[in-house]
Amino acid sequence: MIIVVISPQYKQDVEGVGDDEHGLHTKYIHNQIQNEYIQQRCLNFRLVPVLFPTATKKHVPNWLQSTRIYRWPQDVQDLLLRLLREERYIAPRLGRDLTLTVRPL
């Protein structure tokens, strides 16, 4: 899994000119992640976008907005379940088979 931490600085690094070394590295990694997303036919199997408290949904790249976005720290339980690949709700066990009895009236 790839956790994409979204912040206002991330948006600026990805969409800005990226003159500094940090911005260039961020932009390169972002492009690699976007290429994988496109190669998977826009199905999100590995990307987990997480919004930091100072970020909003407008800071999320457009191509990643169609997936589940987690907010830190509000969605920490859901985020951990996603990373562990576990379900929040466990389906109940099936009981024994039902017997159908037909009685004439």
Side-chain angles (χ1 to χ4, degrees), residues 21-60:
E21 192 172 320
H22 172 76
L24 290 175
H25 288 301
T26 304
K27 191 175 282 194
Y28 173 77
I29 294 168
H30 175 81
N31 288 337
Q32 295 294 78
I33 293 170
Q34 187 177 16
N35 287 338
E36 179 180 326
Y37 181 76
I38 292 169
Q39 288 173 356
Q40 295 294 326
R41 297 185 177 136
C42 299
L43 297 174
N44 185 14
F45 297 112
R46 293 181 16 145
L47 303 176
V48 182
V50 179
L51 283 178
F52 267 22
T54 58
T56 62
K57 193 165 180 175
K58 71 177 184 176
H59 294 113
V60 178

Side-chain angles (χ1 to χ4, degrees), residues 43-84:
L43 297 174
N44 185 14
F45 297 112
R46 293 181 16 145
L47 303 176
V48 182
V50 179
L51 283 178
F52 267 22
T54 58
T56 62
K57 193 165 180 175
K58 71 177 184 176
H59 294 113
V60 178
N62 290 336
W63 60 270
L64 199 52
Q65 287 190 4
S66 64
T67 189
R68 168 77 158 95
I69 300 169
Y70 298 90
R71 297 184 182 277
W72 185 263
Q74 296 94 325
D75 297 334
V76 69
Q77 185 177 12
D78 292 338
L79 179 60
L80 289 175
L81 289 173
R82 169 80 186 272
L83 295 176
L84 295 172

